Amino acid sequence: MSSTTKTVYLNLSEITEVHSQDVYVKDVAKIYCSDTNIQNKCECVKVKHIKEDKDHRYVENALDVIEKLEALDTSIQVNNIGKVEYIIDYQTPKPPKYLWQWTKTIFVCVVCFFGAAFAIMTFNNDANVRDVFQELYRLVTGNEADGFTILDLTYSIGLALGIIIFFNHFAKWKINTDPTPLEVEMRLYEDNISKTLIQNDGRKEQGIDVQ
């Protein structure tokens, strides 16, 4: 390796959302080089121009980025430490629609609340929790339960605490630094979407895409 060779470390993100039709290296990757001038030049290299002004996801290859970077200067050697294939998620610039966003949020909250309540009620009915509590109350106190008992109260409180602890989240507060189950599922969903897009793109090029 020549003493004048400059190593550029390229770390491409798996998927990046952009709103400009001209996409640069700095938009989709992190660049590091000991020479800050070369690093700045590499960050400003255009990797793609999106012709169609509509929402779309484009599957790209790191080799194209490496080729463009090394074409800048013969002394540059690119070391890719990120993804080999990456996705550019182009979203057309849109004005914020706060009313629609709040409407969707409230709708999802209402569906989740009543859906969870219905699921809990059906479980209680299937397991006959009410009769179990009444029987436990009779065995412990020797009297028949004639309404709401301490068992119902503690069960309700315990159920709420259990949900909060399990989901590790209440309003803006988290019990610990671990990601919540919902965050984990969302990341898994995003990973599956990215892998599917990349695999579908490869299959289409080979003419074996499943329709």
Side-chain angles (χ1 to χ4, degrees):
M1 182 183 294
S2 172
S3 59
T4 59
T5 299
K6 298 294 183 181
T7 301
V8 175
Y9 295 94
L10 174 68
N11 186 4
L12 284 160
S13 301
E14 186 171 41
I15 182 168
T16 306
E17 181 179 315
V18 298
H19 300 280
S20 173
Q21 290 180 268
D22 290 325
V23 183
Y24 298 91
V25 170
K26 62 183 178 181
D27 297 323
V28 297
K30 291 182 179 178
I31 292 286
Y32 173 76
C33 181
S34 57
D35 188 327
T36 54
N37 290 328
I38 291 180
Q39 178 176 325
N40 292 335
K41 289 181 180 178
C42 290
E43 288 178 343
C44 296
V45 171
K46 185 188 296 185
V47 296
K48 188 176 184 64
H49 173 72
I50 299 172
K51 297 178 180 180
E52 297 181 355
D53 191 18
K54 64 179 182 179
D55 296 351
H56 190 71
R57 288 175 174 173
Y58 301 88
V59 179
E60 305 293 331
N61 196 290
L63 293 177
D64 298 328
V65 180
I66 294 173
E67 182 181 358
K68 287 182 172 66
L69 293 179
E70 292 188 343
L72 270 180
D73 194 320
T74 55
S75 66
I76 292 178
Q77 182 179 30
V78 180
N79 187 356
N80 181 31
I81 59 174
K83 300 294 181 179
V84 176
E85 293 178 300
Y86 66 100
I87 300 169
I88 297 174
D89 183 10
Y90 176 69
Q91 300 289 325
T92 55
K94 304 180 185 71
K97 299 178 180 179
Y98 297 112
L99 178 60
W100 175 239
Q101 292 173 356
W102 274 105
T103 301
K104 290 192 296 183
T105 301
I106 293 172
F107 176 76
V108 171
C109 290
V110 170
V111 170
C112 290
F113 177 81
F114 287 103
F118 181 77
I120 292 170
M121 288 188 292
T122 53
F123 167 78
N124 289 340
N125 287 334
D126 289 342
N128 210 0
V129 174
R130 181 63 178 169
D131 290 345
V132 172
F133 283 172
Q134 289 181 342
E135 184 64 19
L136 285 174
Y137 186 85
R138 187 185 64 79
L139 291 174
V140 173
T141 64
N143 299 319
E144 294 290 340
D146 56 356
F148 192 77
T149 65
I150 188 65
L151 290 174
D152 299 294
L153 176 63
T154 53
Y155 174 74
S156 301
I157 295 174
L159 185 63
L161 289 176
I163 292 172
I164 292 172
I165 293 172
F166 175 76
F167 283 100
N168 186 28
H169 195 272
F170 182 75
K172 296 181 179 180
W173 300 279
K174 293 180 69 175
I175 299 171
N176 53 52
T177 56
D178 294 338
T180 67
L182 184 59
E183 289 173 333
V184 172
E185 290 301 321
M186 289 299 295
R187 297 299 172 266
L188 289 174
Y189 175 75
E190 290 175 353
D191 289 342
N192 290 334
I193 290 292
S194 299
K195 290 176 182 177
T196 302
L197 288 170
I198 292 171
Q199 290 174 359
N200 285 349
D201 185 74
R203 284 175 174 269
K204 287 177 182 178
E205 290 179 357
Q206 298 173 20
I208 56 174
D209 186 39
V210 178
Q211 298 295 333

